[in-house]
Amino acid sequence: MNDTPGWASPGSAPSDGQEAGVPRPAQPADDSGTPSDSPSKWSKTQPPPGQWSAPSAPGSGPVPPARRPAPNWGGSPGPGPGGHHPGWGQPPLAAKPGVIPLRPLGVGEILDGAVSTLRAHWRTVLGVTIVVAVISQIGDILVQRYLLPEPVDVDPNASPTEALNQAVDAMQSTLIALAPSLFITIIGTLFTTAVLTVVISRSVLGRSVTLSDAWHEARPRLLQLLGLTLLLPVMGAAIVTVGILPGLLIGSGAGIALTMLGGLASVVVLIWLMVNFSLSSPALMLERQSIVASMRRSAKLVKGTWWRIFGILLLTMLLTFVVSMIIAVPFSLVAMAVDGDGLSGLLSGSGPDFGWPFLIITGIGTVISTSITLPISAGVSVLLYVDQRIRREALDLELARAAGVPGYGSERPGNDAPRG
């Protein structure tokens, strides 16, 4: 999957966009070659109804009336590429060697392809996600138990400026304490993203892949992927800091309003950038691009379809959040019931002091939810990348040839307009 120039198979021009001098069926050309305004010149003698038949092969002669097939409007005129039978007036059925059909995808097909990858390669997918989730969760539990400081109480009687400063101090202490846990999570996400990208790219072609094969192929790109994984959060933190810093420096009533306005503006810019760079990881892994080149590649693929990709990513986040809650809430309730101090503290209204039983049980729930939702999120990201390349560069033709689908030649077609 190299970053090759885009191409698309040529299609017929729109009927409403015909140029002058091109006759329409009901407007035949006269002897001079220009469309005439006279009524239709179709012959008044037409074949009897019920005797239309598909054109016979050259040289085979006419089909006897007794052997002519019955009319089959919307039926199949014959197999197309890959042995599929398109219907009259319908687009040809696309080849599907793997988890997705090789054509521009809909939202449901992208989500279904991600879930199908999880089902088809569950040993490889769950093998990497469970191991990484367990290691990450153990690190997170240790951080919560030994490194996380007591929450800073904000004085409700403090002035707005003092309350804002207290909130900022509390956020800073929490972020500093969570730095080891965040680093462990980033490293875990790095490994799973690298391996799952290889697995999903193979599943598109209908090829099986083992965990060792996926790791061998993904390992050379880990340093670049780590740089990209660290660069995007640092970029986001810098944008938010620039947005709220002027208001924090002012430190008055106007400063609070400016902080809120700057924070809102920075969040909008951050969302816009994150969607533009959402395909950077697949581009880096599958096209073997550098960090900056993969970000530019992602922005190029997203251009013109920002809202569509934003909607799909938002829908994926909502679905994974719902799945996580469905799994995590029962484990949290069981953990609070087992951990007496946590449940009594929650019922008394004071801050509950959660012990090891609570952390372990909720950690098990987190491992299960992460093992299910992370492959879906990674699958959607990779399949979005594939879909955008199919729409802009006719990658489906290259994938069909790579998968060995019958009916696709070995020569690459010429460039054409992107397909929507």
Side-chain angles (χ1 to χ4, degrees):
M1 298 184 185
N2 297 325
D3 188 6
T4 53
W7 67 85
S9 57
S12 58
S15 59
D16 293 335
Q18 288 178 323
E19 300 178 358
V22 180
R24 299 176 183 267
Q27 190 182 11
D30 55 18
D31 296 336
S32 62
T34 59
S36 65
D37 297 329
S38 60
S40 174
K41 296 182 180 179
W42 295 104
S43 173
K44 296 181 180 181
T45 303
Q46 297 292 332
Q51 295 188 6
W52 291 101
S53 61
S56 56
S60 59
V63 180
R67 299 179 58 186
R68 287 193 179 114
N72 186 19
W73 305 111
S76 173
H84 297 284
H85 295 262
W88 294 105
Q90 299 177 359
L93 297 177
K96 189 179 179 181
V99 295
I100 59 170
L102 300 183
R103 56 170 171 74
L105 304 174
V107 179
E109 291 170 328
I110 292 176
L111 294 173
D112 179 71
V115 176
S116 298
T117 302
L118 176 59
R119 292 200 306 262
H121 307 280
W122 64 271
R123 291 184 179 86
T124 303
V125 172
L126 294 182
V128 63
T129 54
I130 290 178
V131 171
V132 172
V134 168
I135 296 175
S136 301
Q137 194 59 34
I138 291 175
D140 185 61
I141 290 175
L142 295 177
V143 167
Q144 292 186 50
R145 190 61 180 172
Y146 296 111
L147 298 181
L148 193 64
E150 294 293 331
V152 178
D153 296 329
V154 178
D155 187 3
N157 298 323
S159 63
T161 302
E162 294 176 352
L164 180 61
N165 292 332
Q166 292 176 1
V168 171
D169 292 339
M171 182 177 64
Q172 289 177 350
S173 62
T174 302
L175 290 177
I176 292 174
L178 289 178
S181 178
L182 291 175
F183 180 75
I184 293 173
T185 302
I186 289 176
I187 296 299
T189 305
L190 170 72
F191 282 99
T192 53
T193 300
V195 175
L196 291 178
T197 299
V198 176
V199 173
I200 296 165
S201 65
R202 296 283 187 90
S203 66
V204 170
L205 301 176
R207 298 175 180 173
S208 60
V209 56
T210 63
L211 182 57
S212 60
D213 293 337
W215 169 248
H216 179 74
E217 187 172 343
R219 185 175 57 186
R221 309 299 299 169
L222 287 180
L223 288 180
Q224 290 86 347
L225 186 60
L226 175 62
L228 177 64
T229 305
L230 295 176
L231 178 60
L232 294 179
V234 170
M235 182 186 304
I239 292 173
V240 174
T241 301
V242 170
I244 65 176
L245 186 60
L248 295 177
L249 295 177
I250 294 176
S252 61
I256 296 176
L258 184 59
T259 300
M260 296 178 62
L261 182 61
L264 180 61
S266 62
V267 169
V268 172
V269 174
L270 181 61
I271 293 175
W272 181 77
L273 287 177
M274 291 301 105
V275 174
N276 274 312
F277 298 145
S278 60
L279 306 182
S280 301
S281 176
L284 185 145
M285 291 295 301
L286 300 179
E287 299 182 17
R288 307 196 179 278
Q289 299 271 11
S290 64
I291 296 176
V292 177
S294 65
M295 296 173 68
R296 292 176 179 172
R297 177 72 164 140
S298 175
K300 179 181 178 181
L301 292 174
V302 173
K303 185 178 180 180
T305 57
W306 190 94
W307 284 107
R308 177 179 179 271
I309 295 179
F310 170 75
I312 295 175
L313 293 177
L314 181 61
L315 177 61
T316 304
M317 291 177 59
L318 292 176
L319 290 177
T320 54
F321 175 76
V322 171
V323 173
S324 299
M325 289 298 100
I326 292 175
I327 298 174
V329 169
F331 278 90
S332 299
L333 295 177
V334 172
M336 286 189 292
V338 172
D339 194 336
D341 294 338
L343 183 60
S344 61
L346 183 65
L347 295 177
S348 63
S350 60
D353 185 15
F354 294 122
W356 282 106
F358 179 86
L359 295 177
I360 293 174
I361 295 176
T362 55
I364 294 174
T366 303
V367 168
I368 296 175
S369 62
T370 302
S371 300
I372 296 175
T373 57
L374 188 58
I376 295 176
S377 300
V380 169
S381 177
V382 176
L383 294 180
L384 263 177
Y385 162 83
V386 174
D387 176 57
Q388 288 301 108
R389 288 201 61 186
I390 287 176
R391 293 172 181 271
R392 295 180 178 272
E393 303 171 359
L395 182 66
D396 51 333
L397 304 180
E398 184 177 342
L399 292 175
R401 285 190 291 270
V405 177
Y408 289 84
S410 59
E411 304 241 343
R412 289 172 50 178
N415 293 341
D416 203 341
R419 294 179 295 174

